Amino acid sequence: MSTTGATADPLAALGSLPGVADSVESVRKAVDRVYGHRIMRRRSNEITSEAALRGARGSAALSGADWALEEVRRRTDFSAGEEERTVGAALRLTAEAGQLLSIWRQSPLRVLARLHLVAAADRGEAVGRPRQAGEKADEPLVELPLPDADEVAGRLEGLSQLIIAGGSAPALVTAAVVHGELIALRPFASHNGLVARAAERIVLIGSGLDPKSICPAEVGHAELGRAAYLAALDGYVSGTPDGMAAWIAHCGRAVELGARESAAVCEALQRGAA
């Protein structure tokens, strides 16, 4: 996404694209419905915990580790193989996201570095910092052109400035742009998809749209499928109004599906308590 145009608040300008306002309103209604469920008054912490688990499972699925929910719930060792490490990274990121809200609005680049460090879980020299000249990104399921290190640095700085400046853009729009930009840039040597989806979660929580983190967009992204996810990303990378609007709508649908998932959890808990 270009952040250097004449528009003072380019994120807010995206909110006026055709169909985006409808997506924003649909997401708000879906989120309000689950927050209004009677079980939320007594057991919201359980809903948050379950949403975190399901969100981590969904994010890992989009990064190539498509495990059943009960398998994720059952496992305790996530170090044996590549899929295990991916699921473990997703779980760690979901747990970490809520701890970084106060830092995000002041220093988003610091948060992104922390997210990558948590995901990578080692101290290699490429961990916790953007790619340098000549370094590649290991993101085999994403085949978009890979920007070079100079472009990454410039666009990350532009994204950071937009977040720090705030503005009037709807939370959905900001979350979608953060997510899309990080996938487009793949600023780290690894785990970029997981980091991008964790950053989307931070925006949705910190904006007040989903303060209890009970509407996991990752669930919706996984349910919509990898093919649809990558096609929508193509729209974002194109930078066209139609492409950007389609990506924002895709992210909105993912949040709605996440809200629906938690509403189903609320219903199950209510039946159990009856």
Side-chain angles (χ1 to χ4, degrees), residues 6 30 34 40 44 52 66 68 114 132 163-164 169 182 200 202 204 217 237 249 252 254 256:
V34 69
M40 284 292 295
S44 64
D66 192 359
R114 173 63 185 170
Q132 297 178 354
I163 294 166
I164 292 169
L182 292 175
E200 179 185 47
I202 288 172
L204 294 172
V237 172
E256 290 181 55

Side-chain angles (χ1 to χ4, degrees), residues 103-127:
I103 305 172
W104 175 254
R105 286 296 298 271
Q106 285 74 43
S107 184
L109 297 185
R110 179 180 165 195
V111 169
L112 293 175
R114 173 63 185 170
L115 291 174
H116 187 247
L117 182 65
V118 168
D122 63 41
R123 299 287 177 174
E125 63 179 19
V127 171

Side-chain angles (χ1 to χ4, degrees), residues 79-119:
S79 61
E82 188 64 31
E83 288 195 4
E84 286 85 352
R85 288 190 289 273
T86 296
V87 175
L91 288 166
R92 291 192 301 274
L93 284 172
T94 302
E96 187 76 8
Q99 310 302 313
L100 298 171
L101 297 174
S102 62
I103 305 172
W104 175 254
R105 286 296 298 271
Q106 285 74 43
S107 184
L109 297 185
R110 179 180 165 195
V111 169
L112 293 175
R114 173 63 185 170
L115 291 174
H116 187 247
L117 182 65
V118 168

